[in-house]
Amino acid sequence: MRPPYLLLDIDGVLIPFPNADGSTPATHARHDVVPAGRSADNPVTVWLNPDYGRLLMDVIRTGLVTPVWCTSWRQDATTLIGPLLGLPTLPYVDLPRPQITTSHPNGYLWKRDHVDAWLGDAPTVWIDDDFTGLDHAWAAERTVKGAPTLLVQPDPHHGLQPEHLTELMTWVSQLPAARTV
Ligand SMILES: [Mg+2]
């Protein structure tokens, strides 16, 4: 079995939601970035934990997953966010831009139909803060059909934690291909 994809969200995962008072998490550093198509005098402020580049690289270097951005930052994930974490250029899922007012227009994550088509029958671990019960049912169904699927869902106010990556690596190491290496 080929290595599973590691689909990686940014908002609510690498950039936790702000606290009620708008303060930056103590562990994170503030950056101003200018997404593509946005005026340079109107940057977006983000906060990133500098340790997470290293943690993610520890996972990527194992070669046991194929990392891909899966975020509404789209290409900006590669050009803006990744470099701030010291990550190499990673591919990204070129998500559509639906006119929606909720992240669950059909009761499940808006990205999912596109991701489902993009994945085909490939195994994947997908880190996103915004799955619903229907997404978890989708993952279970894919797994039953022979496409092992793990959803990892950080609390968006805390974002990704080291134990999420431990969970991921434990899961990956138990896949059939990994066992034969
Ligand atoms: Mg998110």
PDB file of all heavy atoms in Angstrom, residues 7-17 46-48 56 68-82 85 87 111 126-129 154 156 159-160:
ATOM      1  N   LEU A   7      -3.168  15.161   4.979  1.00  0.00           N
ATOM      2  CA  LEU A   7      -3.853  16.398   4.602  1.00  0.00           C
ATOM      3  C   LEU A   7      -3.838  17.333   5.804  1.00  0.00           C
ATOM      4  O   LEU A   7      -4.239  16.943   6.908  1.00  0.00           O
ATOM      5  CB  LEU A   7      -5.299  16.101   4.174  1.00  0.00           C
ATOM      6  CG  LEU A   7      -5.459  15.149   2.989  1.00  0.00           C
ATOM      7  CD1 LEU A   7      -6.944  14.938   2.688  1.00  0.00           C
ATOM      8  CD2 LEU A   7      -4.738  15.674   1.752  1.00  0.00           C
ATOM      9  N   LEU A   8      -3.386  18.540   5.564  1.00  0.00           N
ATOM     10  CA  LEU A   8      -3.094  19.438   6.673  1.00  0.00           C
ATOM     11  C   LEU A   8      -3.841  20.761   6.518  1.00  0.00           C
ATOM     12  O   LEU A   8      -3.626  21.509   5.561  1.00  0.00           O
ATOM     13  CB  LEU A   8      -1.580  19.678   6.697  1.00  0.00           C
ATOM     14  CG  LEU A   8      -0.926  20.251   7.927  1.00  0.00           C
ATOM     15  CD1 LEU A   8      -1.297  19.491   9.183  1.00  0.00           C
ATOM     16  CD2 LEU A   8       0.583  20.268   7.724  1.00  0.00           C
ATOM     17  N   ASP A   9      -4.704  21.022   7.469  1.00  0.00           N
ATOM     18  CA  ASP A   9      -5.443  22.282   7.542  1.00  0.00           C
ATOM     19  C   ASP A   9      -4.568  23.330   8.247  1.00  0.00           C
ATOM     20  O   ASP A   9      -3.565  22.980   8.898  1.00  0.00           O
ATOM     21  CB  ASP A   9      -6.734  22.034   8.333  1.00  0.00           C
ATOM     22  CG  ASP A   9      -7.639  23.247   8.405  1.00  0.00           C
ATOM     23  OD1 ASP A   9      -7.595  24.100   7.495  1.00  0.00           O
ATOM     24  OD2 ASP A   9      -8.404  23.333   9.391  1.00  0.00           O
ATOM     25  N   ILE A  10      -4.929  24.566   8.139  1.00  0.00           N
ATOM     26  CA  ILE A  10      -4.162  25.630   8.817  1.00  0.00           C
ATOM     27  C   ILE A  10      -4.999  26.336   9.888  1.00  0.00           C
ATOM     28  O   ILE A  10      -4.656  26.322  11.073  1.00  0.00           O
ATOM     29  CB  ILE A  10      -3.601  26.626   7.782  1.00  0.00           C
ATOM     30  CG1 ILE A  10      -2.479  25.958   6.976  1.00  0.00           C
ATOM     31  CG2 ILE A  10      -3.074  27.889   8.496  1.00  0.00           C
ATOM     32  CD1 ILE A  10      -1.824  26.836   5.945  1.00  0.00           C
ATOM     33  N   ASP A  11      -6.110  26.959   9.496  1.00  0.00           N
ATOM     34  CA  ASP A  11      -6.901  27.712  10.488  1.00  0.00           C
ATOM     35  C   ASP A  11      -7.541  26.750  11.493  1.00  0.00           C
ATOM     36  O   ASP A  11      -8.238  25.809  11.119  1.00  0.00           O
ATOM     37  CB  ASP A  11      -7.986  28.533   9.789  1.00  0.00           C
ATOM     38  CG  ASP A  11      -7.389  29.687   8.984  1.00  0.00           C
ATOM     39  OD1 ASP A  11      -6.450  30.327   9.476  1.00  0.00           O
ATOM     40  OD2 ASP A  11      -7.877  29.938   7.870  1.00  0.00           O
ATOM     41  N   GLY A  12      -7.306  26.995  12.760  1.00  0.00           N
ATOM     42  CA  GLY A  12      -7.829  26.110  13.808  1.00  0.00           C
ATOM     43  C   GLY A  12      -6.924  24.917  14.054  1.00  0.00           C
ATOM     44  O   GLY A  12      -7.189  24.110  14.941  1.00  0.00           O
ATOM     45  N   VAL A  13      -5.852  24.797  13.273  1.00  0.00           N
ATOM     46  CA  VAL A  13      -4.901  23.687  13.435  1.00  0.00           C
ATOM     47  C   VAL A  13      -3.498  24.255  13.695  1.00  0.00           C
ATOM     48  O   VAL A  13      -2.949  24.111  14.779  1.00  0.00           O
ATOM     49  CB  VAL A  13      -4.915  22.753  12.211  1.00  0.00           C
ATOM     50  CG1 VAL A  13      -3.814  21.707  12.303  1.00  0.00           C
ATOM     51  CG2 VAL A  13      -6.272  22.060  12.105  1.00  0.00           C
ATOM     52  N   LEU A  14      -2.933  24.911  12.682  1.00  0.00           N
ATOM     53  CA  LEU A  14      -1.626  25.555  12.892  1.00  0.00           C
ATOM     54  C   LEU A  14      -1.805  26.980  13.407  1.00  0.00           C
ATOM     55  O   LEU A  14      -0.914  27.522  14.067  1.00  0.00           O
ATOM     56  CB  LEU A  14      -0.818  25.557  11.594  1.00  0.00           C
ATOM     57  CG  LEU A  14      -0.391  24.164  11.114  1.00  0.00           C
ATOM     58  CD1 LEU A  14       0.404  24.269   9.824  1.00  0.00           C
ATOM     59  CD2 LEU A  14       0.425  23.451  12.183  1.00  0.00           C
ATOM     60  N   ILE A  15      -2.943  27.595  13.071  1.00  0.00           N
ATOM     61  CA  ILE A  15      -3.268  28.921  13.607  1.00  0.00           C
ATOM     62  C   ILE A  15      -4.514  28.761  14.469  1.00  0.00           C
ATOM     63  O   ILE A  15      -5.630  28.685  13.959  1.00  0.00           O
ATOM     64  CB  ILE A  15      -3.550  29.945  12.481  1.00  0.00           C
ATOM     65  CG1 ILE A  15      -2.369  30.020  11.518  1.00  0.00           C
ATOM     66  CG2 ILE A  15      -3.878  31.307  13.092  1.00  0.00           C
ATOM     67  CD1 ILE A  15      -2.633  30.899  10.291  1.00  0.00           C
ATOM     68  N   PRO A  16      -4.336  28.640  15.792  1.00  0.00           N
ATOM     69  CA  PRO A  16      -5.525  28.480  16.634  1.00  0.00           C
ATOM     70  C   PRO A  16      -6.418  29.717  16.583  1.00  0.00           C
ATOM     71  O   PRO A  16      -5.953  30.815  16.297  1.00  0.00           O
ATOM     72  CB  PRO A  16      -4.945  28.258  18.032  1.00  0.00           C
ATOM     73  CG  PRO A  16      -3.506  28.589  17.969  1.00  0.00           C
ATOM     74  CD  PRO A  16      -3.083  28.649  16.534  1.00  0.00           C
ATOM     75  N   PHE A  17      -7.681  29.496  16.868  1.00  0.00           N
ATOM     76  CA  PHE A  17      -8.613  30.622  16.922  1.00  0.00           C
ATOM     77  C   PHE A  17      -8.178  31.570  18.035  1.00  0.00           C
ATOM     78  O   PHE A  17      -7.650  31.142  19.059  1.00  0.00           O
ATOM     79  CB  PHE A  17     -10.032  30.123  17.216  1.00  0.00           C
ATOM     80  CG  PHE A  17     -10.699  29.418  16.063  1.00  0.00           C
ATOM     81  CD1 PHE A  17     -10.002  29.115  14.901  1.00  0.00           C
ATOM     82  CD2 PHE A  17     -12.028  29.047  16.154  1.00  0.00           C
ATOM     83  CE1 PHE A  17     -10.618  28.463  13.841  1.00  0.00           C
ATOM     84  CE2 PHE A  17     -12.656  28.384  15.098  1.00  0.00           C
ATOM     85  CZ  PHE A  17     -11.959  28.093  13.946  1.00  0.00           C
ATOM     86  N   VAL A  46      -1.336  36.554  11.542  1.00  0.00           N
ATOM     87  CA  VAL A  46      -1.478  35.146  11.937  1.00  0.00           C
ATOM     88  C   VAL A  46      -0.518  34.883  13.087  1.00  0.00           C
ATOM     89  O   VAL A  46       0.410  35.660  13.328  1.00  0.00           O
ATOM     90  CB  VAL A  46      -1.172  34.182  10.763  1.00  0.00           C
ATOM     91  CG1 VAL A  46      -2.099  34.438   9.602  1.00  0.00           C
ATOM     92  CG2 VAL A  46       0.289  34.303  10.322  1.00  0.00           C
ATOM     93  N   TRP A  47      -0.761  33.804  13.797  1.00  0.00           N
ATOM     94  CA  TRP A  47       0.177  33.408  14.846  1.00  0.00           C
ATOM     95  C   TRP A  47       0.490  31.935  14.686  1.00  0.00           C
ATOM     96  O   TRP A  47      -0.366  31.112  14.447  1.00  0.00           O
ATOM     97  CB  TRP A  47      -0.347  33.706  16.257  1.00  0.00           C
ATOM     98  CG  TRP A  47      -1.807  33.554  16.424  1.00  0.00           C
ATOM     99  CD1 TRP A  47      -2.483  32.415  16.718  1.00  0.00           C
ATOM    100  CD2 TRP A  47      -2.786  34.594  16.304  1.00  0.00           C
ATOM    101  NE1 TRP A  47      -3.831  32.678  16.790  1.00  0.00           N
ATOM    102  CE2 TRP A  47      -4.038  33.998  16.542  1.00  0.00           C
ATOM    103  CE3 TRP A  47      -2.731  35.960  16.026  1.00  0.00           C
ATOM    104  CZ2 TRP A  47      -5.230  34.727  16.504  1.00  0.00           C
ATOM    105  CZ3 TRP A  47      -3.910  36.682  15.983  1.00  0.00           C
ATOM    106  CH2 TRP A  47      -5.128  36.069  16.222  1.00  0.00           C
ATOM    107  N   LEU A  48       1.771  31.648  14.768  1.00  0.00           N
ATOM    108  CA  LEU A  48       2.264  30.291  14.518  1.00  0.00           C
ATOM    109  C   LEU A  48       3.231  29.892  15.617  1.00  0.00           C
ATOM    110  O   LEU A  48       4.032  30.723  16.072  1.00  0.00           O
ATOM    111  CB  LEU A  48       2.993  30.241  13.172  1.00  0.00           C
ATOM    112  CG  LEU A  48       2.109  30.427  11.935  1.00  0.00           C
ATOM    113  CD1 LEU A  48       2.958  30.764  10.720  1.00  0.00           C
ATOM    114  CD2 LEU A  48       1.280  29.172  11.679  1.00  0.00           C
ATOM    115  N   LEU A  56       6.497  18.876  12.607  1.00  0.00           N
ATOM    116  CA  LEU A  56       5.966  18.363  11.339  1.00  0.00           C
ATOM    117  C   LEU A  56       7.072  17.747  10.492  1.00  0.00           C
ATOM    118  O   LEU A  56       6.857  16.723   9.833  1.00  0.00           O
ATOM    119  CB  LEU A  56       5.258  19.487  10.571  1.00  0.00           C
ATOM    120  CG  LEU A  56       3.908  19.897  11.161  1.00  0.00           C
ATOM    121  CD1 LEU A  56       3.431  21.206  10.545  1.00  0.00           C
ATOM    122  CD2 LEU A  56       2.866  18.791  10.920  1.00  0.00           C
ATOM    123  N   VAL A  68       0.339  17.140   2.259  1.00  0.00           N
ATOM    124  CA  VAL A  68      -0.348  18.004   1.294  1.00  0.00           C
ATOM    125  C   VAL A  68      -1.183  19.011   2.082  1.00  0.00           C
ATOM    126  O   VAL A  68      -1.937  18.619   2.982  1.00  0.00           O
ATOM    127  CB  VAL A  68      -1.284  17.184   0.367  1.00  0.00           C
ATOM    128  CG1 VAL A  68      -1.978  18.094  -0.642  1.00  0.00           C
ATOM    129  CG2 VAL A  68      -0.530  16.084  -0.358  1.00  0.00           C
ATOM    130  N   TRP A  69      -1.052  20.282   1.767  1.00  0.00           N
ATOM    131  CA  TRP A  69      -1.917  21.274   2.396  1.00  0.00           C
ATOM    132  C   TRP A  69      -3.362  21.082   1.950  1.00  0.00           C
ATOM    133  O   TRP A  69      -3.616  20.818   0.761  1.00  0.00           O
ATOM    134  CB  TRP A  69      -1.480  22.694   2.011  1.00  0.00           C
ATOM    135  CG  TRP A  69      -0.131  23.103   2.495  1.00  0.00           C
ATOM    136  CD1 TRP A  69       0.970  23.353   1.735  1.00  0.00           C
ATOM    137  CD2 TRP A  69       0.258  23.375   3.861  1.00  0.00           C
ATOM    138  NE1 TRP A  69       2.025  23.732   2.531  1.00  0.00           N
ATOM    139  CE2 TRP A  69       1.625  23.760   3.833  1.00  0.00           C
ATOM    140  CE3 TRP A  69      -0.407  23.317   5.085  1.00  0.00           C
ATOM    141  CZ2 TRP A  69       2.328  24.086   4.996  1.00  0.00           C
ATOM    142  CZ3 TRP A  69       0.289  23.627   6.231  1.00  0.00           C
ATOM    143  CH2 TRP A  69       1.633  24.017   6.189  1.00  0.00           C
ATOM    144  N   CYS A  70      -4.283  21.226   2.862  1.00  0.00           N
ATOM    145  CA  CYS A  70      -5.708  21.120   2.523  1.00  0.00           C
ATOM    146  C   CYS A  70      -6.430  22.206   3.317  1.00  0.00           C
ATOM    147  O   CYS A  70      -6.969  21.965   4.393  1.00  0.00           O
ATOM    148  CB  CYS A  70      -6.235  19.728   2.862  1.00  0.00           C
ATOM    149  SG  CYS A  70      -7.941  19.479   2.345  1.00  0.00           S
ATOM    150  N   THR A  71      -6.432  23.417   2.780  1.00  0.00           N
ATOM    151  CA  THR A  71      -6.802  24.582   3.562  1.00  0.00           C
ATOM    152  C   THR A  71      -7.338  25.668   2.648  1.00  0.00           C
ATOM    153  O   THR A  71      -6.956  25.740   1.473  1.00  0.00           O
ATOM    154  CB  THR A  71      -5.563  25.109   4.337  1.00  0.00           C
ATOM    155  OG1 THR A  71      -5.789  26.464   4.731  1.00  0.00           O
ATOM    156  CG2 THR A  71      -4.301  25.065   3.486  1.00  0.00           C
ATOM    157  N   SER A  72      -8.169  26.524   3.184  1.00  0.00           N
ATOM    158  CA  SER A  72      -8.667  27.643   2.389  1.00  0.00           C
ATOM    159  C   SER A  72      -7.561  28.671   2.110  1.00  0.00           C
ATOM    160  O   SER A  72      -7.784  29.619   1.371  1.00  0.00           O
ATOM    161  CB  SER A  72      -9.874  28.300   3.065  1.00  0.00           C
ATOM    162  OG  SER A  72      -9.542  28.678   4.380  1.00  0.00           O
ATOM    163  N   TRP A  73      -6.364  28.448   2.679  1.00  0.00           N
ATOM    164  CA  TRP A  73      -5.210  29.259   2.272  1.00  0.00           C
ATOM    165  C   TRP A  73      -4.704  28.835   0.896  1.00  0.00           C
ATOM    166  O   TRP A  73      -3.910  29.542   0.287  1.00  0.00           O
ATOM    167  CB  TRP A  73      -4.079  29.130   3.297  1.00  0.00           C
ATOM    168  CG  TRP A  73      -4.309  29.859   4.581  1.00  0.00           C
ATOM    169  CD1 TRP A  73      -5.051  29.431   5.645  1.00  0.00           C
ATOM    170  CD2 TRP A  73      -3.803  31.146   4.942  1.00  0.00           C
ATOM    171  NE1 TRP A  73      -5.038  30.366   6.643  1.00  0.00           N
ATOM    172  CE2 TRP A  73      -4.275  31.432   6.238  1.00  0.00           C
ATOM    173  CE3 TRP A  73      -2.999  32.090   4.302  1.00  0.00           C
ATOM    174  CZ2 TRP A  73      -3.978  32.624   6.906  1.00  0.00           C
ATOM    175  CZ3 TRP A  73      -2.693  33.274   4.954  1.00  0.00           C
ATOM    176  CH2 TRP A  73      -3.189  33.530   6.240  1.00  0.00           C
ATOM    177  N   ARG A  74      -5.093  27.621   0.478  1.00  0.00           N
ATOM    178  CA  ARG A  74      -4.707  27.088  -0.836  1.00  0.00           C
ATOM    179  C   ARG A  74      -3.213  27.307  -1.085  1.00  0.00           C
ATOM    180  O   ARG A  74      -2.402  26.944  -0.259  1.00  0.00           O
ATOM    181  CB  ARG A  74      -5.590  27.706  -1.928  1.00  0.00           C
ATOM    182  CG  ARG A  74      -7.086  27.404  -1.698  1.00  0.00           C
ATOM    183  CD  ARG A  74      -7.991  28.002  -2.739  1.00  0.00           C
ATOM    184  NE  ARG A  74      -9.382  27.711  -2.432  1.00  0.00           N
ATOM    185  CZ  ARG A  74     -10.131  28.410  -1.552  1.00  0.00           C
ATOM    186  NH1 ARG A  74      -9.613  29.443  -0.898  1.00  0.00           N
ATOM    187  NH2 ARG A  74     -11.379  28.062  -1.304  1.00  0.00           N
ATOM    188  N   GLN A  75      -2.877  27.920  -2.232  1.00  0.00           N
ATOM    189  CA  GLN A  75      -1.453  28.060  -2.573  1.00  0.00           C
ATOM    190  C   GLN A  75      -0.700  28.916  -1.559  1.00  0.00           C
ATOM    191  O   GLN A  75       0.513  28.753  -1.383  1.00  0.00           O
ATOM    192  CB  GLN A  75      -1.308  28.647  -3.973  1.00  0.00           C
ATOM    193  CG  GLN A  75       0.140  28.610  -4.460  1.00  0.00           C
ATOM    194  CD  GLN A  75       0.269  28.913  -5.932  1.00  0.00           C
ATOM    195  OE1 GLN A  75      -0.671  29.383  -6.564  1.00  0.00           O
ATOM    196  NE2 GLN A  75       1.430  28.643  -6.489  1.00  0.00           N
ATOM    197  N   ASP A  76      -1.399  29.829  -0.904  1.00  0.00           N
ATOM    198  CA  ASP A  76      -0.732  30.667   0.093  1.00  0.00           C
ATOM    199  C   ASP A  76      -0.174  29.829   1.248  1.00  0.00           C
ATOM    200  O   ASP A  76       0.728  30.288   1.958  1.00  0.00           O
ATOM    201  CB  ASP A  76      -1.700  31.714   0.651  1.00  0.00           C
ATOM    202  CG  ASP A  76      -2.031  32.802  -0.364  1.00  0.00           C
ATOM    203  OD1 ASP A  76      -1.163  33.116  -1.206  1.00  0.00           O
ATOM    204  OD2 ASP A  76      -3.156  33.331  -0.314  1.00  0.00           O
ATOM    205  N   ALA A  77      -0.713  28.648   1.453  1.00  0.00           N
ATOM    206  CA  ALA A  77      -0.146  27.761   2.469  1.00  0.00           C
ATOM    207  C   ALA A  77       1.310  27.461   2.141  1.00  0.00           C
ATOM    208  O   ALA A  77       2.180  27.466   3.016  1.00  0.00           O
ATOM    209  CB  ALA A  77      -0.958  26.456   2.536  1.00  0.00           C
ATOM    210  N   THR A  78       1.551  27.209   0.875  1.00  0.00           N
ATOM    211  CA  THR A  78       2.893  26.854   0.415  1.00  0.00           C
ATOM    212  C   THR A  78       3.824  28.062   0.389  1.00  0.00           C
ATOM    213  O   THR A  78       4.984  27.975   0.782  1.00  0.00           O
ATOM    214  CB  THR A  78       2.787  26.234  -0.998  1.00  0.00           C
ATOM    215  OG1 THR A  78       2.138  24.974  -0.881  1.00  0.00           O
ATOM    216  CG2 THR A  78       4.146  26.049  -1.632  1.00  0.00           C
ATOM    217  N   THR A  79       3.296  29.190  -0.068  1.00  0.00           N
ATOM    218  CA  THR A  79       4.163  30.354  -0.284  1.00  0.00           C
ATOM    219  C   THR A  79       4.313  31.211   0.966  1.00  0.00           C
ATOM    220  O   THR A  79       5.335  31.875   1.132  1.00  0.00           O
ATOM    221  CB  THR A  79       3.610  31.230  -1.425  1.00  0.00           C
ATOM    222  OG1 THR A  79       2.267  31.596  -1.113  1.00  0.00           O
ATOM    223  CG2 THR A  79       3.641  30.471  -2.743  1.00  0.00           C
ATOM    224  N   LEU A  80       3.311  31.212   1.865  1.00  0.00           N
ATOM    225  CA  LEU A  80       3.343  32.115   3.015  1.00  0.00           C
ATOM    226  C   LEU A  80       3.512  31.390   4.351  1.00  0.00           C
ATOM    227  O   LEU A  80       4.360  31.775   5.157  1.00  0.00           O
ATOM    228  CB  LEU A  80       2.049  32.944   3.080  1.00  0.00           C
ATOM    229  CG  LEU A  80       1.786  33.899   1.919  1.00  0.00           C
ATOM    230  CD1 LEU A  80       0.465  34.629   2.140  1.00  0.00           C
ATOM    231  CD2 LEU A  80       2.924  34.898   1.760  1.00  0.00           C
ATOM    232  N   ILE A  81       2.685  30.395   4.597  1.00  0.00           N
ATOM    233  CA  ILE A  81       2.653  29.793   5.930  1.00  0.00           C
ATOM    234  C   ILE A  81       3.789  28.784   6.100  1.00  0.00           C
ATOM    235  O   ILE A  81       4.508  28.816   7.114  1.00  0.00           O
ATOM    236  CB  ILE A  81       1.288  29.114   6.191  1.00  0.00           C
ATOM    237  CG1 ILE A  81       0.138  30.129   5.998  1.00  0.00           C
ATOM    238  CG2 ILE A  81       1.260  28.514   7.591  1.00  0.00           C
ATOM    239  CD1 ILE A  81       0.181  31.326   6.900  1.00  0.00           C
ATOM    240  N   GLY A  82       3.974  27.913   5.128  1.00  0.00           N
ATOM    241  CA  GLY A  82       5.021  26.894   5.230  1.00  0.00           C
ATOM    242  C   GLY A  82       6.396  27.490   5.520  1.00  0.00           C
ATOM    243  O   GLY A  82       7.088  27.044   6.447  1.00  0.00           O
ATOM    244  N   LEU A  85       7.270  28.409   8.999  1.00  0.00           N
ATOM    245  CA  LEU A  85       7.525  27.276   9.885  1.00  0.00           C
ATOM    246  C   LEU A  85       8.769  26.506   9.461  1.00  0.00           C
ATOM    247  O   LEU A  85       9.090  25.473  10.055  1.00  0.00           O
ATOM    248  CB  LEU A  85       6.311  26.336   9.897  1.00  0.00           C
ATOM    249  CG  LEU A  85       5.071  26.892  10.595  1.00  0.00           C
ATOM    250  CD1 LEU A  85       3.859  26.002  10.341  1.00  0.00           C
ATOM    251  CD2 LEU A  85       5.316  27.048  12.093  1.00  0.00           C
ATOM    252  N   LEU A  87       9.085  24.918   6.670  1.00  0.00           N
ATOM    253  CA  LEU A  87       8.699  23.711   5.933  1.00  0.00           C
ATOM    254  C   LEU A  87       9.093  23.838   4.467  1.00  0.00           C
ATOM    255  O   LEU A  87       9.088  24.942   3.915  1.00  0.00           O
ATOM    256  CB  LEU A  87       7.181  23.496   6.040  1.00  0.00           C
ATOM    257  CG  LEU A  87       6.655  23.196   7.441  1.00  0.00           C
ATOM    258  CD1 LEU A  87       5.133  23.129   7.425  1.00  0.00           C
ATOM    259  CD2 LEU A  87       7.234  21.877   7.952  1.00  0.00           C
ATOM    260  N   LYS A 111     -15.055  20.968   2.498  1.00  0.00           N
ATOM    261  CA  LYS A 111     -13.929  20.498   1.673  1.00  0.00           C
ATOM    262  C   LYS A 111     -14.096  19.048   1.225  1.00  0.00           C
ATOM    263  O   LYS A 111     -13.412  18.597   0.319  1.00  0.00           O
ATOM    264  CB  LYS A 111     -12.620  20.561   2.490  1.00  0.00           C
ATOM    265  CG  LYS A 111     -12.263  21.906   3.053  1.00  0.00           C
ATOM    266  CD  LYS A 111     -11.070  21.776   4.024  1.00  0.00           C
ATOM    267  CE  LYS A 111     -10.752  23.109   4.683  1.00  0.00           C
ATOM    268  NZ  LYS A 111      -9.706  22.980   5.724  1.00  0.00           N
ATOM    269  N   TRP A 126      -6.080  12.915   7.860  1.00  0.00           N
ATOM    270  CA  TRP A 126      -6.537  14.274   7.557  1.00  0.00           C
ATOM    271  C   TRP A 126      -6.680  15.020   8.888  1.00  0.00           C
ATOM    272  O   TRP A 126      -7.447  14.589   9.759  1.00  0.00           O
ATOM    273  CB  TRP A 126      -7.865  14.198   6.819  1.00  0.00           C
ATOM    274  CG  TRP A 126      -8.414  15.495   6.313  1.00  0.00           C
ATOM    275  CD1 TRP A 126      -7.889  16.748   6.453  1.00  0.00           C
ATOM    276  CD2 TRP A 126      -9.638  15.654   5.576  1.00  0.00           C
ATOM    277  NE1 TRP A 126      -8.695  17.674   5.838  1.00  0.00           N
ATOM    278  CE2 TRP A 126      -9.767  17.030   5.296  1.00  0.00           C
ATOM    279  CE3 TRP A 126     -10.631  14.769   5.131  1.00  0.00           C
ATOM    280  CZ2 TRP A 126     -10.865  17.542   4.593  1.00  0.00           C
ATOM    281  CZ3 TRP A 126     -11.706  15.272   4.433  1.00  0.00           C
ATOM    282  CH2 TRP A 126     -11.817  16.645   4.160  1.00  0.00           C
ATOM    283  N   ILE A 127      -5.907  16.087   9.032  1.00  0.00           N
ATOM    284  CA  ILE A 127      -5.970  16.903  10.246  1.00  0.00           C
ATOM    285  C   ILE A 127      -6.762  18.162   9.941  1.00  0.00           C
ATOM    286  O   ILE A 127      -6.365  18.975   9.089  1.00  0.00           O
ATOM    287  CB  ILE A 127      -4.563  17.289  10.751  1.00  0.00           C
ATOM    288  CG1 ILE A 127      -3.680  16.058  10.935  1.00  0.00           C
ATOM    289  CG2 ILE A 127      -4.679  18.067  12.069  1.00  0.00           C
ATOM    290  CD1 ILE A 127      -2.266  16.386  11.420  1.00  0.00           C
ATOM    291  N   ASP A 128      -7.888  18.317  10.622  1.00  0.00           N
ATOM    292  CA  ASP A 128      -8.739  19.486  10.438  1.00  0.00           C
ATOM    293  C   ASP A 128      -9.532  19.657  11.730  1.00  0.00           C
ATOM    294  O   ASP A 128      -9.864  18.682  12.405  1.00  0.00           O
ATOM    295  CB  ASP A 128      -9.685  19.281   9.245  1.00  0.00           C
ATOM    296  CG  ASP A 128     -10.278  20.583   8.726  1.00  0.00           C
ATOM    297  OD1 ASP A 128     -11.099  21.203   9.445  1.00  0.00           O
ATOM    298  OD2 ASP A 128      -9.923  20.990   7.593  1.00  0.00           O
ATOM    299  N   ASP A 129      -9.845  20.906  12.067  1.00  0.00           N
ATOM    300  CA  ASP A 129     -10.556  21.161  13.323  1.00  0.00           C
ATOM    301  C   ASP A 129     -12.067  21.129  13.158  1.00  0.00           C
ATOM    302  O   ASP A 129     -12.785  21.357  14.131  1.00  0.00           O
ATOM    303  CB  ASP A 129     -10.158  22.542  13.867  1.00  0.00           C
ATOM    304  CG  ASP A 129     -10.509  23.637  12.879  1.00  0.00           C
ATOM    305  OD1 ASP A 129      -9.936  23.619  11.770  1.00  0.00           O
ATOM    306  OD2 ASP A 129     -11.369  24.473  13.199  1.00  0.00           O
ATOM    307  N   PRO A 154      -8.072  18.604  16.036  1.00  0.00           N
ATOM    308  CA  PRO A 154      -7.683  19.450  17.171  1.00  0.00           C
ATOM    309  C   PRO A 154      -8.813  20.398  17.587  1.00  0.00           C
ATOM    310  O   PRO A 154      -9.679  20.758  16.781  1.00  0.00           O
ATOM    311  CB  PRO A 154      -6.502  20.265  16.615  1.00  0.00           C
ATOM    312  CG  PRO A 154      -6.023  19.513  15.411  1.00  0.00           C
ATOM    313  CD  PRO A 154      -7.247  18.854  14.852  1.00  0.00           C
ATOM    314  N   PRO A 156     -10.029  23.844  17.968  1.00  0.00           N
ATOM    315  CA  PRO A 156      -9.546  25.020  17.228  1.00  0.00           C
ATOM    316  C   PRO A 156      -8.995  26.135  18.115  1.00  0.00           C
ATOM    317  O   PRO A 156      -8.213  26.954  17.652  1.00  0.00           O
ATOM    318  CB  PRO A 156     -10.787  25.490  16.458  1.00  0.00           C
ATOM    319  CG  PRO A 156     -11.947  24.884  17.164  1.00  0.00           C
ATOM    320  CD  PRO A 156     -11.456  23.596  17.742  1.00  0.00           C
ATOM    321  N   GLY A 159      -5.490  24.355  18.797  1.00  0.00           N
ATOM    322  CA  GLY A 159      -4.741  23.978  17.619  1.00  0.00           C
ATOM    323  C   GLY A 159      -4.015  22.650  17.794  1.00  0.00           C
ATOM    324  O   GLY A 159      -4.238  21.914  18.762  1.00  0.00           O
ATOM    325  N   LEU A 160      -3.158  22.385  16.838  1.00  0.00           N
ATOM    326  CA  LEU A 160      -2.424  21.123  16.827  1.00  0.00           C
ATOM    327  C   LEU A 160      -1.573  20.978  18.082  1.00  0.00           C
ATOM    328  O   LEU A 160      -0.942  21.943  18.532  1.00  0.00           O
ATOM    329  CB  LEU A 160      -1.530  21.090  15.580  1.00  0.00           C
ATOM    330  CG  LEU A 160      -0.831  19.777  15.256  1.00  0.00           C
ATOM    331  CD1 LEU A 160      -1.848  18.721  14.821  1.00  0.00           C
ATOM    332  CD2 LEU A 160       0.214  19.983  14.169  1.00  0.00           C
TER     333      LEU A 160
END
